[in-house]
Amino acid sequence: MNKQKQLTIINPLMGIFLLIQAVSGALHEIIPDSIFELLHNAGWVFVILAIYHVYLNWAWVKKNLLQRPKS
């Protein structure tokens, strides 16, 4: 599977897990602790997806963010 196809899967998953983190944080006082812990632990999935996302985009990162300024 090429990088672009992987990113079309990874990016929406990252969005979903980001929303899970935002909702679980916002509703922390309302939702039961057991559900909160489950949703909160989904943050690790988000971290893994984010690391993989950077790995897939590393060429872009090097080209656009890690370039030395021309003097």
Side-chain angles (χ1 to χ4, degrees), residues 18-55:
L18 180 64
L19 286 174
I20 289 172
Q21 293 308 297
V23 169
S24 70
L27 301 178
H28 174 46
E29 300 296 325
I30 298 170
I31 58 177
D33 285 341
S34 59
I35 294 174
F36 174 77
E37 287 300 320
L38 178 68
L39 294 174
H40 187 69
N41 287 333
W44 288 109
V45 176
F46 177 74
V47 168
I48 292 167
L49 289 172
I51 290 169
Y52 192 60
H53 174 84
V54 171
Y55 168 75

